[in-house]
Amino acid sequence: MNKALIIRILLLAMLGVVLGCFAYEAIMYGRVSRLRDQNPTSTSMMVTREQEARTRGVAPGHEQIWVPLDKISPNLQRAVLAGEDPNFAKHNGFDYEAIQKAWDEAQQQAQKEGDSDPGWIPDTSAFKRGASTITQQLAKNLYLSSQRSFVRKGQEAVLTIFLEHQLSKHRILELYLNVIEWGDGIYGAEAASQHYFRRSAAALAPDQAAFLSAMIPNPRTVFNPLIDPKRVARRQRNIMRIMPTVKMP
């Protein structure tokens, strides 16, 4: 095989990859666009949890009751923004101020821990969480796997741009509050409110809203109130302090 033919094959392969990427993004743009007036019947997160349950040999649970944003207490909306994305109303999907703050805090913690233990390996999970907006979290929950890679983060960024371009802030928040995980097989604000407080999401008091918001980072283990109630309570108190300062979209 001569050199010219090899180059031609490589160029055609590269062109195929580029065209494939454009086609995939066009499909995803269309899927995001439909979210304007269509509610998703499932998410990537839900599918993953179902697969995990079947792997363990148990029937997957699924509690979810879809409600419009005006049927979700402003207390919960404010609490979730306070806990996950205080600048949601003013950013374009990427909170650069929060990214810088989370990075600085992670660096300070790394230096502190490194000074006390030279063999310590930095844990960047807190930075990743602190730098992730509600729109980014929604993109990941709806469409992507939990695997961490540059490709996945790149796709998350593209989907975040699509969501912010196609949907209003109110719709993004409505979708987020209806699909996020609040325990094993519990999805969305209404199911969570019924499960933990036996009341509708519209009737949540500020402390109840802050409690649910406190669970969001990891409701099945780290912030599971049955496993570590003190940790949940600490985060609940912090969220309640921030709630009055949050600007609603």
Side-chain angles (χ1 to χ4, degrees):
M1 187 179 294
N2 61 49
K3 186 175 180 180
L5 182 57
I6 293 175
I7 293 174
R8 183 178 297 178
I9 291 173
L10 289 174
L11 289 174
L12 288 173
M14 292 174 61
L15 179 61
V17 170
V18 171
L19 291 176
C21 290
F22 274 113
Y24 174 78
E25 299 302 347
I27 291 170
M28 295 307 298
Y29 189 83
R31 291 180 66 182
V32 169
S33 180
R34 287 194 291 273
L35 292 175
R36 291 176 182 173
D37 51 21
Q38 294 180 20
N39 298 329
T41 57
S42 185
T43 69
S44 178
M45 169 66 77
M46 294 174 189
V47 171
T48 297
R49 294 297 185 232
E50 289 171 2
Q51 292 172 344
E52 291 173 350
R54 292 192 178 96
T55 299
R56 298 195 306 269
V58 300
H62 190 99
E63 299 177 43
Q64 184 184 27
I65 306 168
W66 196 282
V67 291
L69 190 61
D70 61 10
K71 297 297 183 183
I72 299 175
S73 170
N75 290 323
L76 183 58
Q77 296 181 44
R78 189 176 294 277
V80 169
L81 293 181
E84 297 300 304
D85 192 356
N87 295 323
F88 176 72
K90 62 182 183 181
H91 67 60
N92 63 352
F94 306 94
D95 190 346
Y96 302 106
E97 178 182 331
I99 292 172
Q100 185 61 53
K101 180 180 178 181
W103 175 255
D104 290 343
E105 290 175 351
Q107 291 292 94
Q108 290 172 6
Q109 184 65 20
Q111 183 175 359
K112 178 181 178 182
E113 296 291 342
D115 289 342
S116 61
D117 181 4
W120 179 77
I121 299 175
D123 178 7
T124 60
S125 59
F127 163 68
K128 291 174 181 177
R129 185 76 194 181
S132 182
T133 66
I134 277 178
T135 314
Q136 289 174 281
Q137 292 179 44
L138 179 61
K140 175 178 174 291
N141 287 348
L142 284 173
Y143 301 119
L144 304 174
S145 72
S146 59
Q147 294 179 344
R148 292 173 178 171
S149 67
F150 287 114
V151 173
R152 202 222 74 187
K153 290 300 292 184
Q155 185 58 30
E156 179 186 298
V158 171
L159 290 169
T160 297
I161 294 170
F162 288 173
L163 286 165
E164 287 281 339
H165 182 261
Q166 290 284 324
L167 310 177
S168 68
K169 288 287 188 180
H170 284 85
R171 180 57 172 163
I172 291 171
L173 184 58
E174 180 179 77
L175 288 164
Y176 180 85
L177 289 173
N178 274 284
V179 302
I180 58 172
E181 185 179 44
W182 252 303
D184 194 6
I186 303 168
Y187 302 99
E190 185 65 24
S193 300
Q194 297 286 354
H195 181 88
Y196 292 103
F197 298 111
R198 298 293 186 264
R199 60 171 55 191
S200 70
L204 289 170
D207 61 326
Q208 295 170 332
F211 175 87
L212 291 181
S213 178
M215 296 172 61
I216 290 175
N218 195 329
R220 301 200 310 162
T221 55
V222 178
F223 290 98
N224 183 332
L226 297 178
I227 295 175
D228 196 341
K230 290 183 179 179
R231 174 174 284 187
V232 174
R234 284 196 301 270
R235 192 161 193 267
Q236 178 189 24
R237 290 193 294 271
N238 289 335
I239 288 169
M240 290 188 71
R241 283 196 292 268
I242 299 171
M243 283 172 64
T245 67
V246 172
K247 182 179 179 180
M248 299 293 286

